[in-house]
Amino acid sequence: MNEKLKINRRHFVKTAGIGLAGFPLIANAFTRVAPSDKIRVAHIGTGNMGGAHIRWFAGFPDVETVALCDVDEVRLGKARELLVSRKSSANPDLYSDFRRIIDRKDIDVITCATPDHWHALVAIMAFESGKDVYGEKPLSFSVKEGKVMLESLKKNDRIFQLGTQIHAGDNYHRVAEIIQSGVLGKIHTVRLWKTGGTSGLGFPANETPPKTLDWNMWLGPAPYAEYTPVKCHGTYRSFFDYSGGVFADFWCHIADIMYMSVHPKGLSSIDARGEVPNDGIADTPKWIDVDFKFKDLDVFWTTTPPKVPGAEKMGIGAHFEGEKGTLTCDYENRVVSIGNETTNDVPEVPKTISRSPGHQRNFLDSVKSRQQPESNLEYAREMTLPMHLALISFRLKRKLQWDSVKEEFVNDPVANFLLSREYRSPWSLPVY
Amino acid sequence: MKVKRLLILVAFWGFTLLGFAQKNDGFTSLFNGKDLSGWIMPGKVPGFEVADSVLFASPHNGSELFTKEKYGNFVFKFEYLLSEVGNSGVLIRCEPENPWNSGVEIQLLAPWTPYRDDLHCTGSIYGHVAVTNRPDETTGIWHTMEIKCDRENVTISVDGKVTTVANTDTVKSMQGKHVAGSIGFQSNHSKEGEFVKFRNVFVKNMDSDPDYVSKGFYHENAGFRSQAHDAAEVIGVPMIGRLSEMMSGENVMAQAGAKQVLFDIVAKVASDGTKRERNALAKALGKEQKSSRSKAVKSYFEWLLKMAKSAK
């Protein structure tokens, strides 16, 4: 644990006793593994993924879950029950306003599983208050948010792990090893896909939000909108006001293996095509195909699997085309073709990349070691960026030219306007 | 005062100029009597030529003739003259590469040829909808035909009398047909030596009328809603007031469509519009932003206005 973290830890003083209260620094040096050295975690957003966070983190002996937060009272109550069912000793403080958690000096880590339009601000406010963050994907709602998040992380010397848990699996590590070994030759093309897209969701009338839901807080920095249930829990990603559809949901999971393996650089153009559903209020892609041009690498995203062997059975996948061979993979499986031979592995490629101890464990270890984890913010931001740009191309219905050094579209003020979104008062992004 | 007078003058010029391009009833001529400009003949053998200021189709099974322009909702009227056993037709809402699959044919046929029942005679939607009021089929004389496509309602008249009324949503064999496309004349489909002539070809494109297009946002059929959205995007800035009204209205379908189309219009005009168009855009958005009483709509217009102004 770093010094700052420890000094801030009010609970330590409480449990270590009055005698040591004046000497926390000295005391800390001797209590590295003491029970009081637990990482104190709060979970913000307790829906589907938030529930997974609660279960995952409750399973670590060096974690104490001290607070839960949700703008929906019903969900918050269920989250508490879930936590207690996992750890009967747990007695979390419950909040509807995450700022009460940000204010607490005795919390080391927050996990964030809010809707996408809240991700950046929650993380930045946590960084500013000296907390580390395990944040759900996608990283951000806009390109600008990703930038400010990274600035804030660096300024505050914080740890961040993006919740792309597939990253930690053996398969992705092995795929990266095989590709980086050069047995496939230089990779010139990558095809990524995810089947399915946003469905229309019909035309439900606006309603008064339930009394148990703080709809205004749910909206937060997003534009004011009347409430209707499909805009909220579970299906909010169908709306550009809060996310970018199935594409935004899954891009990072599968683009992750491309960035792990070949780390594309020098993005220069983005050309998206697709359609918005016409049978409902949802406005994100029903389908989307995107051509990306990186330096020495063509990347294609499609909503239907590409015509390569094995792809038709994969709902999500990546296909790497090299000069000597190809590799097709999804989260768990991989198929390598070199010449006429098709196998699941290339045994002569040595194991060179150390395996993750698990995505959440990797993060907790980083909280202690102060070394950034595998899906750290710098990496996650680079990986997320093309997703945002593709959605801008989709919305503008035209090909866009990108300056990867300046990180802006070339002579395109309208596209550049969409790189950020002004927050609704009273929320704002800090300026560093 | 001076500025005001100038504006009135410009408006007057605009009106008279419009008067030349279109007849006062909103119809535009599609055939100039001299050449085939505005039309395409994708087939190998040309099926049409201009002779004596009329469109003349005599080569046997030559290429059909299609408008370059696509039309969804329109009134198409023309005069035709069939030779003794002439056989031709008008293709509507079709893709020139695949006209009979994508669209349908309104038949023009001499009465004493085979397949001359009500489902295949002049005025029928060939093979799909029969005439209910058989027209005068005398060959060798000029007749007028008017085809009106008003979303799902297709009405065909010959010599001023309605022959066929169809609700395309209820015609099983017409499901999956396109709701917009080229309009085409079929070449001489009879034997060698027969012919067909066309003249006075006019169209009124209802999809350029903001009021007509607005109604499409409320249509139950998603295909016709999408058609209205596309048409509204083409109209652009003159739609903004109506779209603002829809967003503030009670109909969720129209709200959602209006929200999307407003974005599309602003994105397009701000990106590609002339300075004058962009100024008109900012003015229209500013007006709606000021006058809107709904909090959500107001903030949306505020945002759109910023996007519009981002392009300098």
Side-chain angles (χ1 to χ4, degrees):
Chain A
M1 306 262 89
N2 77 339
E3 309 295 54
K4 189 177 168 193
L5 204 64
K6 299 213 159 185
I7 295 166
N8 285 345
R9 197 178 282 169
R10 202 185 302 147
H11 90 103
F12 169 79
V13 177
K14 262 191 279 173
T15 52
I18 285 164
L20 288 172
F23 311 96
L25 287 176
I26 299 166
N28 282 342
F30 297 100
T31 53
R32 193 160 278 272
V33 289
S36 58
D37 201 24
K38 282 190 172 179
I39 297 171
R40 291 168 64 83
V41 172
H43 299 296
I44 299 171
T46 62
N48 243 354
M49 279 318 294
H53 287 187
I54 290 168
R55 291 195 305 276
W56 289 334
F57 283 87
F60 294 110
D62 56 346
V63 163
E64 190 181 349
T65 307
V66 296
L68 300 173
C69 172
D70 204 296
V71 296
D72 183 331
E73 273 175 36
V74 178
R75 286 192 157 191
L76 190 57
K78 284 185 183 153
R80 188 186 178 283
E81 280 170 32
L82 173 66
L83 176 62
V84 172
S85 76
R86 294 284 163 147
K87 222 171 200 172
S88 56
S89 62
N91 187 22
D93 296 317
L94 305 179
Y95 299 98
S96 65
D97 186 334
F98 76 100
R99 287 172 293 190
R100 302 293 82 78
I101 288 176
I102 299 295
D103 290 343
R104 276 177 64 165
K105 301 271 188 278
D106 65 326
I107 290 173
D108 304 317
V109 160
I110 64 117
T111 81
C112 177
T114 62
D116 305 2
H117 64 281
W118 263 116
H119 287 176
L121 201 50
V122 168
I124 289 165
M125 288 170 79
F127 294 156
E128 288 285 318
S129 70
K131 296 171 182 63
D132 296 325
V133 177
Y134 181 96
E136 264 316 313
K137 34 66 52 174
L139 179 73
S140 45
F141 172 81
S142 71
V143 170
K144 168 133 188 234
E145 283 182 346
K147 266 189 186 170
V148 180
M149 285 172 94
L150 186 58
E151 286 167 0
S152 179
L153 175 107
K154 287 182 174 167
K155 176 178 162 263
N156 294 291
D157 193 18
R158 292 295 94 201
I159 296 293
F160 179 90
Q161 173 93 306
L162 185 69
T164 44
Q165 69 280 358
I166 321 294
H167 187 103
D170 180 72
N171 190 44
Y172 273 21
H173 286 75
R174 186 60 185 157
V175 166
E177 271 167 357
I178 293 170
I179 288 170
Q180 287 169 6
S181 77
V183 290
L184 304 179
K186 199 177 148 33
I187 303 294
H188 52 76
T189 305
V190 180
R191 298 179 190 279
L192 306 171
W193 69 93
K194 164 79 184 85
T195 57
T198 298
S199 52
L201 303 173
F203 297 99
N206 294 327
E207 295 176 18
T208 306
K211 285 203 173 68
T212 48
L213 172 72
D214 186 345
W215 173 241
N216 187 49
M217 191 65 169
W218 187 95
L219 286 171
Y224 175 78
E226 300 292 335
Y227 173 80
T228 190
V230 295
K231 282 187 194 162
C232 193
H233 303 328
T235 40
Y236 69 84
R237 280 211 179 92
S238 311
F239 301 90
F240 270 125
D241 279 344
Y242 319 119
S243 179
V246 171
F247 176 68
D249 196 2
F250 285 92
W251 163 268
C252 56
H253 275 318
I254 198 70
D256 197 3
I257 186 55
M258 173 171 78
Y259 275 81
M260 274 176 94
S261 306
V262 296
H263 207 127
K265 296 271 184 194
L267 178 60
S268 58
S269 73
I270 305 100
D271 189 4
R273 302 162 298 281
E275 260 180 291
V276 168
N278 65 0
D279 56 349
I281 60 174
D283 61 3
T284 54
K286 182 166 101 180
W287 65 271
I288 177 169
D289 289 355
V290 197
D291 306 346
F292 299 93
K293 210 146 198 83
F294 287 89
K295 190 173 181 296
D296 304 324
L297 185 76
D298 289 326
V299 177
F300 301 101
W301 172 280
T302 49
T303 303
T304 48
K307 303 229 173 323
V308 297
E312 72 280 0
K313 287 187 208 119
M314 294 176 173
I316 188 164
H319 174 76
F320 296 84
E321 293 173 20
E323 286 161 345
K324 295 185 215 158
T326 66
L327 186 151
T328 310
C329 71
D330 60 9
Y331 297 167
E332 308 283 338
N333 313 285
R334 58 177 178 267
V335 179
V336 188
S337 297
I338 303 171
N340 293 329
E341 212 171 311
T342 298
T343 57
N344 292 326
D345 199 28
V346 187
E348 58 268 33
V349 173
K351 197 167 169 177
T352 50
I353 304 172
S354 60
R355 297 305 191 254
S356 167
H359 209 56
Q360 295 76 38
R361 185 68 256 167
N362 174 228
F363 167 69
L364 293 169
D365 291 348
S366 293
V367 168
K368 291 180 178 176
S369 72
R370 309 314 293 168
Q371 302 297 311
Q372 292 295 343
E374 284 197 354
S375 292
N376 59 72
L377 186 42
E378 192 151 12
Y379 172 87
R381 191 189 80 88
E382 236 186 304
M383 176 180 86
T384 305
L385 186 75
M387 176 273 278
H388 287 311
L389 306 187
L391 287 172
I392 294 172
S393 174
F394 173 89
R395 296 188 81 182
L396 295 178
K397 303 181 201 171
R398 56 190 170 86
K399 185 177 180 177
L400 301 172
Q401 307 296 331
W402 180 248
D403 182 330
S404 65
V405 178
K406 287 190 196 156
E407 291 205 346
E408 60 181 39
F409 294 104
V410 182
N411 295 328
D412 199 332
V414 174
N416 283 328
F417 174 80
L418 296 172
L419 293 173
S420 63
R421 177 173 73 182
E422 227 172 86
Y423 284 180
R424 185 171 66 111
S425 173
W427 306 101
S428 65
L429 272 176
V431 179
Y432 295 107
Chain B
M1 275 309 275
K2 218 173 184 181
V3 175
K4 211 173 193 178
R5 223 176 291 153
L6 189 69
L7 280 177
I8 292 166
L9 199 64
V10 168
F12 178 71
W13 281 340
F15 183 75
T16 48
L17 282 174
L18 215 67
F20 283 117
Q22 297 185 347
K23 291 170 78 181
N24 289 336
D25 51 6
F27 282 88
T28 308
S29 169
L30 284 182
F31 173 53
N32 61 17
K34 291 177 215 146
D35 56 39
L36 297 177
S37 45
W39 299 85
I40 50 164
M41 272 193 288
K44 283 194 189 106
V45 181
F48 286 80
E49 59 180 330
V50 180
D52 297 331
S53 299
V54 301
L55 281 170
F56 183 62
S58 92
H60 177 60
N61 283 340
S63 174
E64 272 65 66
L65 184 70
F66 298 98
T67 59
K68 282 186 187 162
E69 211 51 52
K70 310 272 177 190
Y71 300 92
N73 299 300
F74 56 86
V75 182
F76 183 63
K77 59 182 190 185
F78 57 95
E79 291 177 52
Y80 66 94
L81 182 151
L82 287 169
S83 61
E84 199 177 352
V85 278
N87 181 350
S88 180
V90 182
L91 289 145
I92 57 167
R93 291 174 168 175
C94 71
E95 291 305 316
E97 309 83 67
N98 193 8
W100 276 272
N101 253 334
S102 52
V104 292
E105 180 192 342
I106 315 302
Q107 180 68 317
L108 298 173
L109 186 68
W112 40 76
T113 52
Y115 305 110
R116 60 182 190 269
D117 62 2
D118 287 353
L119 191 56
H120 302 89
C121 69
T122 294
S124 67
I125 303 180
Y126 190 82
H128 297 286
V129 182
V131 300
T132 46
N133 175 27
R134 199 142 173 166
D136 172 19
E137 295 158 278
T138 313
T139 55
I141 61 165
W142 289 97
H143 297 275
T144 62
M145 178 175 269
E146 183 181 289
I147 301 165
K148 184 177 184 184
C149 288
D150 170 11
R151 306 203 168 94
E152 74 275 35
N153 300 304
V154 176
T155 310
I156 298 148
S157 311
V158 175
D159 297 330
K161 287 178 202 137
V162 172
T163 63
T164 316
V165 177
N167 178 334
T168 57
D169 280 349
T170 63
V171 181
K172 228 180 186 171
S173 60
M174 284 182 73
Q175 300 317 298
K177 294 283 182 187
H178 293 191
V179 293
S182 292
I183 302 172
F185 285 127
Q186 191 182 21
S187 62
N188 170 25
H189 193 55
S190 184
K191 60 187 190 224
E192 205 81 47
E194 298 298 320
F195 62 86
V196 56
K197 291 177 181 177
F198 298 99
R199 67 180 187 193
N200 290 325
V201 184
F202 290 94
V203 71
K204 178 158 82 176
N205 185 357
M206 298 194 283
D207 289 320
S208 57
D209 171 4
D211 287 325
Y212 178 81
V213 168
S214 296
K215 288 189 190 110
F217 280 65
Y218 300 84
H219 204 285
E220 285 302 316
N221 180 326
F224 289 116
R225 282 200 305 277
S226 294
Q227 184 187 58
H229 299 167
D230 293 347
E233 195 185 331
V234 172
I235 294 171
V237 175
M239 283 301 299
I240 286 174
R242 290 169 181 85
L243 296 172
S244 169
E245 262 172 51
M246 286 183 213
M247 276 198 77
S248 303
E250 294 294 308
N251 187 295
V252 184
M253 229 151 54
Q255 278 172 10
K259 188 179 182 195
Q260 180 68 50
V261 173
L262 277 164
F263 178 91
D264 294 340
I265 290 172
V266 175
K268 197 165 123 190
V269 176
S271 299
D272 313 326
T274 62
K275 195 165 179 206
R276 180 187 290 195
E277 285 165 337
R278 281 186 278 129
N279 286 342
L281 174 71
K283 202 175 154 199
L285 293 172
K287 187 181 158 214
E288 298 310 321
Q289 184 253 318
K290 277 198 200 85
S291 64
S292 173
R293 274 163 293 150
S294 145
K295 202 168 146 190
V297 178
K298 204 178 191 65
S299 77
Y300 188 55
F301 273 99
E302 248 168 53
W303 181 71
L304 290 173
L305 188 57
K306 280 178 191 159
M307 179 157 80
K309 285 183 171 171
S310 71
K312 292 257 158 55

